[in-house]
mmCIF file of all heavy atoms in Angstrom:
data_model
loop_
_atom_site.group_PDB
_atom_site.id
_atom_site.type_symbol
_atom_site.label_atom_id
_atom_site.label_comp_id
_atom_site.label_asym_id
_atom_site.label_seq_id
_atom_site.Cartn_x
_atom_site.Cartn_y
_atom_site.Cartn_z
ATOM 1 N N MET N 29 5.610 -14.984 26.775
ATOM 2 C CA MET N 29 5.068 -15.532 25.557
ATOM 3 C C MET N 29 6.102 -16.497 24.964
ATOM 4 O O MET N 29 7.291 -16.249 25.030
ATOM 5 C CB MET N 29 4.753 -14.393 24.571
ATOM 6 C CG MET N 29 3.949 -14.888 23.379
ATOM 7 S SD MET N 29 3.550 -13.625 22.170
ATOM 8 C CE MET N 29 2.480 -12.568 23.054
ATOM 9 N N THR N 30 5.627 -17.551 24.359
ATOM 10 C CA THR N 30 6.519 -18.553 23.767
ATOM 11 C C THR N 30 7.070 -18.061 22.447
ATOM 12 O O THR N 30 6.586 -17.063 21.852
ATOM 13 C CB THR N 30 5.753 -19.865 23.538
ATOM 14 O OG1 THR N 30 4.729 -19.629 22.574
ATOM 15 C CG2 THR N 30 5.141 -20.385 24.843
ATOM 16 N N ASP N 31 8.066 -18.770 21.926
ATOM 17 C CA ASP N 31 8.609 -18.441 20.617
ATOM 18 C C ASP N 31 7.564 -18.539 19.515
ATOM 19 O O ASP N 31 7.515 -17.719 18.605
ATOM 20 C CB ASP N 31 9.789 -19.349 20.293
ATOM 21 C CG ASP N 31 11.016 -19.054 21.162
ATOM 22 O OD1 ASP N 31 11.096 -17.902 21.681
ATOM 23 O OD2 ASP N 31 11.874 -19.949 21.320
ATOM 24 N N THR N 32 6.702 -19.547 19.628
ATOM 25 C CA THR N 32 5.642 -19.708 18.636
ATOM 26 C C THR N 32 4.660 -18.545 18.712
ATOM 27 O O THR N 32 4.210 -18.017 17.676
ATOM 28 C CB THR N 32 4.895 -21.040 18.871
ATOM 29 O OG1 THR N 32 5.839 -22.099 18.841
ATOM 30 C CG2 THR N 32 3.844 -21.273 17.802
ATOM 31 N N GLY N 33 4.337 -18.127 19.911
ATOM 32 C CA GLY N 33 3.452 -16.970 20.095
ATOM 33 C C GLY N 33 4.037 -15.713 19.500
ATOM 34 O O GLY N 33 3.355 -14.923 18.868
ATOM 35 N N ASN N 34 5.342 -15.497 19.735
ATOM 36 C CA ASN N 34 6.008 -14.320 19.145
ATOM 37 C C ASN N 34 5.958 -14.372 17.617
ATOM 38 O O ASN N 34 5.774 -13.346 16.956
ATOM 39 C CB ASN N 34 7.444 -14.247 19.622
ATOM 40 C CG ASN N 34 7.550 -13.744 21.034
ATOM 41 O OD1 ASN N 34 6.711 -12.984 21.501
ATOM 42 N ND2 ASN N 34 8.601 -14.170 21.726
ATOM 43 N N LEU N 35 6.144 -15.551 17.061
ATOM 44 C CA LEU N 35 6.099 -15.706 15.608
ATOM 45 C C LEU N 35 4.711 -15.394 15.074
ATOM 46 O O LEU N 35 4.578 -14.680 14.072
ATOM 47 C CB LEU N 35 6.522 -17.124 15.219
ATOM 48 C CG LEU N 35 6.475 -17.433 13.714
ATOM 49 C CD1 LEU N 35 7.530 -16.595 12.986
ATOM 50 C CD2 LEU N 35 6.732 -18.909 13.491
ATOM 51 N N VAL N 36 3.690 -15.907 15.731
ATOM 52 C CA VAL N 36 2.326 -15.682 15.286
ATOM 53 C C VAL N 36 1.983 -14.175 15.358
ATOM 54 O O VAL N 36 1.416 -13.620 14.421
ATOM 55 C CB VAL N 36 1.340 -16.498 16.104
ATOM 56 C CG1 VAL N 36 -0.118 -16.084 15.853
ATOM 57 C CG2 VAL N 36 1.492 -17.980 15.831
ATOM 58 N N VAL N 37 2.347 -13.540 16.448
ATOM 59 C CA VAL N 37 2.082 -12.113 16.583
ATOM 60 C C VAL N 37 2.838 -11.328 15.511
ATOM 61 O O VAL N 37 2.280 -10.396 14.920
ATOM 62 C CB VAL N 37 2.456 -11.632 18.002
ATOM 63 C CG1 VAL N 37 2.447 -10.118 18.083
ATOM 64 C CG2 VAL N 37 1.513 -12.226 19.031
ATOM 65 N N GLY N 38 4.074 -11.704 15.255
ATOM 66 C CA GLY N 38 4.840 -11.018 14.208
ATOM 67 C C GLY N 38 4.212 -11.163 12.847
ATOM 68 O O GLY N 38 4.123 -10.203 12.075
ATOM 69 N N VAL N 39 3.749 -12.358 12.521
ATOM 70 C CA VAL N 39 3.128 -12.600 11.215
ATOM 71 C C VAL N 39 1.825 -11.837 11.098
ATOM 72 O O VAL N 39 1.504 -11.291 10.034
ATOM 73 C CB VAL N 39 2.908 -14.124 11.006
ATOM 74 C CG1 VAL N 39 2.043 -14.380 9.810
ATOM 75 C CG2 VAL N 39 4.275 -14.817 10.821
ATOM 76 N N LEU N 40 1.062 -11.792 12.174
ATOM 77 C CA LEU N 40 -0.231 -11.107 12.126
ATOM 78 C C LEU N 40 -0.095 -9.587 12.112
ATOM 79 O O LEU N 40 -0.918 -8.895 11.514
ATOM 80 C CB LEU N 40 -1.103 -11.519 13.310
ATOM 81 C CG LEU N 40 -1.565 -12.985 13.312
ATOM 82 C CD1 LEU N 40 -2.324 -13.297 14.576
ATOM 83 C CD2 LEU N 40 -2.404 -13.287 12.090
ATOM 84 N N TYR N 41 0.925 -9.021 12.715
ATOM 85 C CA TYR N 41 1.100 -7.588 12.750
ATOM 86 C C TYR N 41 1.860 -7.027 11.550
ATOM 87 O O TYR N 41 1.846 -5.840 11.305
ATOM 88 C CB TYR N 41 1.803 -7.165 14.040
ATOM 89 C CG TYR N 41 0.841 -6.894 15.158
ATOM 90 C CD1 TYR N 41 0.372 -7.942 15.940
ATOM 91 C CD2 TYR N 41 0.388 -5.613 15.426
ATOM 92 C CE1 TYR N 41 -0.514 -7.717 16.947
ATOM 93 C CE2 TYR N 41 -0.511 -5.389 16.435
ATOM 94 C CZ TYR N 41 -0.965 -6.428 17.199
ATOM 95 O OH TYR N 41 -1.857 -6.188 18.211
ATOM 96 N N GLN N 42 2.541 -7.894 10.817
ATOM 97 C CA GLN N 42 3.341 -7.409 9.686
ATOM 98 C C GLN N 42 2.490 -6.645 8.665
ATOM 99 O O GLN N 42 2.908 -5.577 8.220
ATOM 100 C CB GLN N 42 4.064 -8.567 9.028
ATOM 101 C CG GLN N 42 5.065 -8.117 7.987
ATOM 102 C CD GLN N 42 5.880 -9.275 7.459
ATOM 103 O OE1 GLN N 42 5.609 -10.420 7.773
ATOM 104 N NE2 GLN N 42 6.869 -8.972 6.681
ATOM 105 N N PRO N 43 1.304 -7.129 8.266
ATOM 106 C CA PRO N 43 0.508 -6.357 7.323
ATOM 107 C C PRO N 43 0.119 -4.987 7.873
ATOM 108 O O PRO N 43 0.011 -4.011 7.133
ATOM 109 C CB PRO N 43 -0.724 -7.223 7.088
ATOM 110 C CG PRO N 43 -0.291 -8.599 7.425
ATOM 111 C CD PRO N 43 0.720 -8.433 8.507
ATOM 112 N N LEU N 44 -0.112 -4.896 9.183
ATOM 113 C CA LEU N 44 -0.482 -3.607 9.777
ATOM 114 C C LEU N 44 0.677 -2.626 9.720
ATOM 115 O O LEU N 44 0.464 -1.424 9.486
ATOM 116 C CB LEU N 44 -0.924 -3.811 11.223
ATOM 117 C CG LEU N 44 -2.188 -4.626 11.419
ATOM 118 C CD1 LEU N 44 -2.453 -4.838 12.910
ATOM 119 C CD2 LEU N 44 -3.375 -3.950 10.776
ATOM 120 N N VAL N 45 1.896 -3.117 9.914
ATOM 121 C CA VAL N 45 3.070 -2.249 9.861
ATOM 122 C C VAL N 45 3.318 -1.779 8.427
ATOM 123 O O VAL N 45 3.706 -0.634 8.183
ATOM 124 C CB VAL N 45 4.304 -2.993 10.406
ATOM 125 C CG1 VAL N 45 5.569 -2.205 10.179
ATOM 126 C CG2 VAL N 45 4.117 -3.303 11.880
ATOM 127 N N LEU N 46 3.070 -2.644 7.453
ATOM 128 C CA LEU N 46 3.330 -2.307 6.057
ATOM 129 C C LEU N 46 2.194 -1.568 5.388
ATOM 130 O O LEU N 46 2.343 -1.103 4.255
ATOM 131 C CB LEU N 46 3.617 -3.604 5.279
ATOM 132 C CG LEU N 46 4.872 -4.357 5.694
ATOM 133 C CD1 LEU N 46 4.969 -5.652 4.916
ATOM 134 C CD2 LEU N 46 6.118 -3.523 5.499
ATOM 135 N N TRP N 47 1.043 -1.431 6.053
ATOM 136 C CA TRP N 47 -0.140 -0.816 5.463
ATOM 137 C C TRP N 47 0.140 0.602 4.989
ATOM 138 O O TRP N 47 -0.198 0.972 3.854
ATOM 139 C CB TRP N 47 -1.288 -0.827 6.472
ATOM 140 C CG TRP N 47 -2.511 -0.157 5.957
ATOM 141 C CD1 TRP N 47 -2.986 1.075 6.294
ATOM 142 C CD2 TRP N 47 -3.438 -0.662 4.987
ATOM 143 N NE1 TRP N 47 -4.130 1.362 5.616
ATOM 144 C CE2 TRP N 47 -4.437 0.308 4.798
ATOM 145 C CE3 TRP N 47 -3.500 -1.843 4.267
ATOM 146 C CZ2 TRP N 47 -5.486 0.110 3.918
ATOM 147 C CZ3 TRP N 47 -4.544 -2.024 3.382
ATOM 148 C CH2 TRP N 47 -5.534 -1.052 3.224
ATOM 149 N N GLY N 48 0.735 1.439 5.814
ATOM 150 C CA GLY N 48 0.980 2.826 5.443
ATOM 151 C C GLY N 48 1.881 2.998 4.230
ATOM 152 O O GLY N 48 1.500 3.668 3.263
ATOM 153 N N PRO N 49 3.078 2.385 4.235
ATOM 154 C CA PRO N 49 3.931 2.532 3.056
ATOM 155 C C PRO N 49 3.340 1.931 1.783
ATOM 156 O O PRO N 49 3.476 2.512 0.705
ATOM 157 C CB PRO N 49 5.202 1.765 3.454
ATOM 158 C CG PRO N 49 5.194 1.762 4.933
ATOM 159 C CD PRO N 49 3.772 1.745 5.339
ATOM 160 N N LEU N 50 2.651 0.805 1.896
ATOM 161 C CA LEU N 50 2.043 0.197 0.707
ATOM 162 C C LEU N 50 0.887 1.070 0.189
ATOM 163 O O LEU N 50 0.760 1.230 -1.042
ATOM 164 C CB LEU N 50 1.512 -1.214 1.018
ATOM 165 C CG LEU N 50 2.609 -2.257 1.244
ATOM 166 C CD1 LEU N 50 1.990 -3.575 1.691
ATOM 167 C CD2 LEU N 50 3.439 -2.470 -0.020
ATOM 168 N N LEU N 51 0.099 1.639 1.084
ATOM 169 C CA LEU N 51 -0.958 2.525 0.652
ATOM 170 C C LEU N 51 -0.417 3.767 -0.035
ATOM 171 O O LEU N 51 -0.963 4.230 -1.042
ATOM 172 C CB LEU N 51 -1.833 2.920 1.846
ATOM 173 C CG LEU N 51 -3.045 3.785 1.546
ATOM 174 C CD1 LEU N 51 -4.015 3.098 0.613
ATOM 175 C CD2 LEU N 51 -3.737 4.172 2.843
ATOM 176 N N ALA N 52 0.656 4.299 0.490
ATOM 177 C CA ALA N 52 1.287 5.457 -0.137
ATOM 178 C C ALA N 52 1.814 5.129 -1.513
ATOM 179 O O ALA N 52 1.628 5.910 -2.476
ATOM 180 C CB ALA N 52 2.421 5.980 0.745
ATOM 181 N N ALA N 53 2.431 3.972 -1.682
ATOM 182 C CA ALA N 53 2.951 3.570 -2.988
ATOM 183 C C ALA N 53 1.824 3.381 -3.998
ATOM 184 O O ALA N 53 1.935 3.821 -5.159
ATOM 185 C CB ALA N 53 3.763 2.270 -2.840
ATOM 186 N N VAL N 54 0.733 2.768 -3.572
ATOM 187 C CA VAL N 54 -0.403 2.557 -4.502
ATOM 188 C C VAL N 54 -1.039 3.905 -4.853
ATOM 189 O O VAL N 54 -1.444 4.132 -6.002
ATOM 190 C CB VAL N 54 -1.435 1.618 -3.830
ATOM 191 C CG1 VAL N 54 -2.727 1.586 -4.600
ATOM 192 C CG2 VAL N 54 -0.859 0.217 -3.736
ATOM 193 N N THR N 55 -1.117 4.817 -3.902
ATOM 194 C CA THR N 55 -1.706 6.129 -4.155
ATOM 195 C C THR N 55 -0.863 6.917 -5.151
ATOM 196 O O THR N 55 -1.403 7.538 -6.093
ATOM 197 C CB THR N 55 -1.840 6.915 -2.832
ATOM 198 O OG1 THR N 55 -2.626 6.142 -1.941
ATOM 199 C CG2 THR N 55 -2.452 8.261 -3.070
ATOM 200 N N VAL N 56 0.443 6.895 -5.007
ATOM 201 C CA VAL N 56 1.336 7.591 -5.933
ATOM 202 C C VAL N 56 1.216 6.977 -7.327
ATOM 203 O O VAL N 56 1.120 7.697 -8.333
ATOM 204 C CB VAL N 56 2.791 7.553 -5.424
ATOM 205 C CG1 VAL N 56 3.746 8.025 -6.510
ATOM 206 C CG2 VAL N 56 2.923 8.405 -4.183
ATOM 207 N N SER N 57 1.168 5.648 -7.401
ATOM 208 C CA SER N 57 1.047 4.999 -8.689
ATOM 209 C C SER N 57 -0.266 5.363 -9.371
ATOM 210 O O SER N 57 -0.306 5.648 -10.553
ATOM 211 C CB SER N 57 1.147 3.479 -8.495
ATOM 212 O OG SER N 57 0.916 2.804 -9.706
ATOM 213 N N TYR N 58 -1.345 5.357 -8.596
ATOM 214 C CA TYR N 58 -2.652 5.697 -9.147
ATOM 215 C C TYR N 58 -2.661 7.166 -9.642
ATOM 216 O O TYR N 58 -3.165 7.461 -10.714
ATOM 217 C CB TYR N 58 -3.736 5.505 -8.096
ATOM 218 C CG TYR N 58 -5.099 5.911 -8.536
ATOM 219 C CD1 TYR N 58 -5.873 5.051 -9.339
ATOM 220 C CD2 TYR N 58 -5.657 7.111 -8.157
ATOM 221 C CE1 TYR N 58 -7.136 5.414 -9.754
ATOM 222 C CE2 TYR N 58 -6.912 7.488 -8.560
ATOM 223 C CZ TYR N 58 -7.658 6.640 -9.369
ATOM 224 O OH TYR N 58 -8.893 7.017 -9.785
ATOM 225 N N HIS N 59 -2.092 8.045 -8.843
ATOM 226 C CA HIS N 59 -2.042 9.440 -9.234
ATOM 227 C C HIS N 59 -1.251 9.660 -10.535
ATOM 228 O O HIS N 59 -1.644 10.433 -11.397
ATOM 229 C CB HIS N 59 -1.417 10.283 -8.095
ATOM 230 C CG HIS N 59 -1.249 11.715 -8.463
ATOM 231 N ND1 HIS N 59 -2.308 12.569 -8.578
ATOM 232 C CD2 HIS N 59 -0.150 12.433 -8.739
ATOM 233 C CE1 HIS N 59 -1.858 13.767 -8.914
ATOM 234 N NE2 HIS N 59 -0.538 13.704 -9.006
ATOM 235 N N ARG N 60 -0.144 8.937 -10.658
ATOM 236 C CA ARG N 60 0.655 9.041 -11.889
ATOM 237 C C ARG N 60 -0.130 8.548 -13.096
ATOM 238 O O ARG N 60 -0.081 9.153 -14.167
ATOM 239 C CB ARG N 60 1.946 8.264 -11.744
ATOM 240 C CG ARG N 60 2.940 8.954 -10.830
ATOM 241 C CD ARG N 60 4.222 8.181 -10.756
ATOM 242 N NE ARG N 60 5.176 8.838 -9.878
ATOM 243 C CZ ARG N 60 6.281 8.302 -9.456
ATOM 244 N NH1 ARG N 60 6.601 7.062 -9.827
ATOM 245 N NH2 ARG N 60 7.079 8.965 -8.665
ATOM 246 N N ARG N 61 -0.825 7.417 -12.927
ATOM 247 C CA ARG N 61 -1.600 6.880 -14.052
ATOM 248 C C ARG N 61 -2.756 7.788 -14.423
ATOM 249 O O ARG N 61 -2.965 8.116 -15.588
ATOM 250 C CB ARG N 61 -2.117 5.490 -13.733
ATOM 251 C CG ARG N 61 -1.099 4.401 -13.866
ATOM 252 C CD ARG N 61 -1.708 3.045 -13.695
ATOM 253 N NE ARG N 61 -2.202 2.884 -12.323
ATOM 254 C CZ ARG N 61 -3.420 2.490 -12.018
ATOM 255 N NH1 ARG N 61 -4.265 2.163 -12.950
ATOM 256 N NH2 ARG N 61 -3.789 2.364 -10.758
ATOM 257 N N ARG N 62 -3.531 8.204 -13.444
ATOM 258 C CA ARG N 62 -4.702 9.046 -13.714
ATOM 259 C C ARG N 62 -4.280 10.447 -14.131
ATOM 260 O O ARG N 62 -4.933 11.065 -14.962
ATOM 261 C CB ARG N 62 -5.617 9.126 -12.480
ATOM 262 C CG ARG N 62 -6.224 7.776 -12.117
ATOM 263 C CD ARG N 62 -7.116 7.290 -13.173
ATOM 264 N NE ARG N 62 -8.302 8.134 -13.245
ATOM 265 C CZ ARG N 62 -9.268 7.995 -14.086
ATOM 266 N NH1 ARG N 62 -9.270 7.000 -14.944
ATOM 267 N NH2 ARG N 62 -10.294 8.800 -14.087
ATOM 268 N N GLY N 63 -3.214 10.958 -13.542
ATOM 269 C CA GLY N 63 -2.738 12.287 -13.912
ATOM 270 C C GLY N 63 -2.276 12.332 -15.355
ATOM 271 O O GLY N 63 -2.521 13.295 -16.065
ATOM 272 N N ALA N 64 -1.632 11.260 -15.801
ATOM 273 C CA ALA N 64 -1.172 11.187 -17.174
ATOM 274 C C ALA N 64 -2.346 11.177 -18.139
ATOM 275 O O ALA N 64 -2.311 11.792 -19.198
ATOM 276 C CB ALA N 64 -0.290 9.976 -17.371
ATOM 277 N N ARG N 65 -3.410 10.481 -17.787
ATOM 278 C CA ARG N 65 -4.571 10.400 -18.668
ATOM 279 C C ARG N 65 -5.283 11.736 -18.762
ATOM 280 O O ARG N 65 -5.705 12.160 -19.820
ATOM 281 C CB ARG N 65 -5.563 9.349 -18.155
ATOM 282 C CG ARG N 65 -5.149 7.947 -18.422
ATOM 283 C CD ARG N 65 -6.275 7.028 -18.025
ATOM 284 N NE ARG N 65 -5.830 5.657 -18.121
ATOM 285 C CZ ARG N 65 -6.465 4.629 -17.627
ATOM 286 N NH1 ARG N 65 -7.575 4.826 -16.944
ATOM 287 N NH2 ARG N 65 -5.987 3.423 -17.751
ATOM 288 N N THR N 66 -5.452 12.412 -17.618
ATOM 289 C CA THR N 66 -6.196 13.662 -17.662
ATOM 290 C C THR N 66 -5.420 14.756 -18.380
ATOM 291 O O THR N 66 -6.018 15.609 -19.006
ATOM 292 C CB THR N 66 -6.554 14.133 -16.231
ATOM 293 O OG1 THR N 66 -5.370 14.230 -15.476
ATOM 294 C CG2 THR N 66 -7.525 13.169 -15.591
ATOM 295 N N THR N 67 -4.074 14.749 -18.326
ATOM 296 C CA THR N 67 -3.323 15.790 -19.009
ATOM 297 C C THR N 67 -3.332 15.528 -20.517
ATOM 298 O O THR N 67 -3.200 16.481 -21.294
ATOM 299 C CB THR N 67 -1.872 15.861 -18.480
ATOM 300 O OG1 THR N 67 -1.260 14.572 -18.581
ATOM 301 C CG2 THR N 67 -1.847 16.336 -17.046
ATOM 302 N N ARG N 68 -3.439 14.321 -20.955
ATOM 303 C CA ARG N 68 -3.464 14.035 -22.400
ATOM 304 C C ARG N 68 -4.777 14.509 -23.034
ATOM 305 O O ARG N 68 -4.812 14.858 -24.194
ATOM 306 C CB ARG N 68 -3.322 12.539 -22.637
ATOM 307 C CG ARG N 68 -1.928 12.030 -22.401
ATOM 308 C CD ARG N 68 -1.856 10.566 -22.748
ATOM 309 N NE ARG N 68 -0.679 9.979 -22.147
ATOM 310 C CZ ARG N 68 -0.506 8.720 -21.868
ATOM 311 N NH1 ARG N 68 -1.488 7.874 -22.102
ATOM 312 N NH2 ARG N 68 0.602 8.272 -21.353
ATOM 313 N N ARG N 69 -5.865 14.463 -22.284
ATOM 314 C CA ARG N 69 -7.155 14.856 -22.841
ATOM 315 C C ARG N 69 -7.281 16.338 -23.093
ATOM 316 O O ARG N 69 -8.090 16.767 -23.888
ATOM 317 C CB ARG N 69 -8.284 14.397 -21.895
ATOM 318 C CG ARG N 69 -8.453 12.920 -21.845
ATOM 319 C CD ARG N 69 -9.596 12.542 -20.943
ATOM 320 N NE ARG N 69 -9.757 11.118 -20.872
ATOM 321 C CZ ARG N 69 -10.568 10.495 -20.029
ATOM 322 N NH1 ARG N 69 -11.304 11.208 -19.201
ATOM 323 N NH2 ARG N 69 -10.651 9.200 -20.028
ATOM 324 N N ARG N 70 -6.540 17.159 -22.428
ATOM 325 C CA ARG N 70 -6.686 18.612 -22.572
ATOM 326 C C ARG N 70 -6.048 19.122 -23.811
ATOM 327 O O ARG N 70 -5.253 18.789 -24.475
ATOM 328 C CB ARG N 70 -6.039 19.289 -21.355
ATOM 329 C CG ARG N 70 -6.856 19.038 -20.123
ATOM 330 C CD ARG N 70 -6.248 19.760 -18.976
ATOM 331 N NE ARG N 70 -7.024 19.462 -17.759
ATOM 332 C CZ ARG N 70 -6.677 19.859 -16.597
ATOM 333 N NH1 ARG N 70 -5.585 20.557 -16.406
ATOM 334 N NH2 ARG N 70 -7.400 19.562 -15.543
#
């Protein structure tokens, strides 16, 4: 594969590699926001 091909593959696969950690971060943030709201209502 050429250098350009390696670059294209790297750019296209980067979001797939970062999907898990980013999804975890968003999930924790959502849980903190929603958890804070539900505990205040009680």
Side-chain angles (χ1 to χ4, degrees):
M29 190 181 295
T30 64
D31 289 338
T32 304
N34 284 332
L35 178 65
V36 169
V37 169
V39 168
L40 293 176
Y41 271 84
Q42 189 173 8
L44 295 175
V45 172
L46 297 175
W47 177 256
L50 290 174
L51 182 61
V54 168
T55 302
V56 169
S57 175
Y58 177 79
H59 176 70
R60 287 182 180 169
R61 282 187 294 129
R62 295 296 292 179
R65 284 187 187 166
T66 56
T67 55
R68 287 183 197 157
R69 290 182 181 172
R70 290 182 182 175

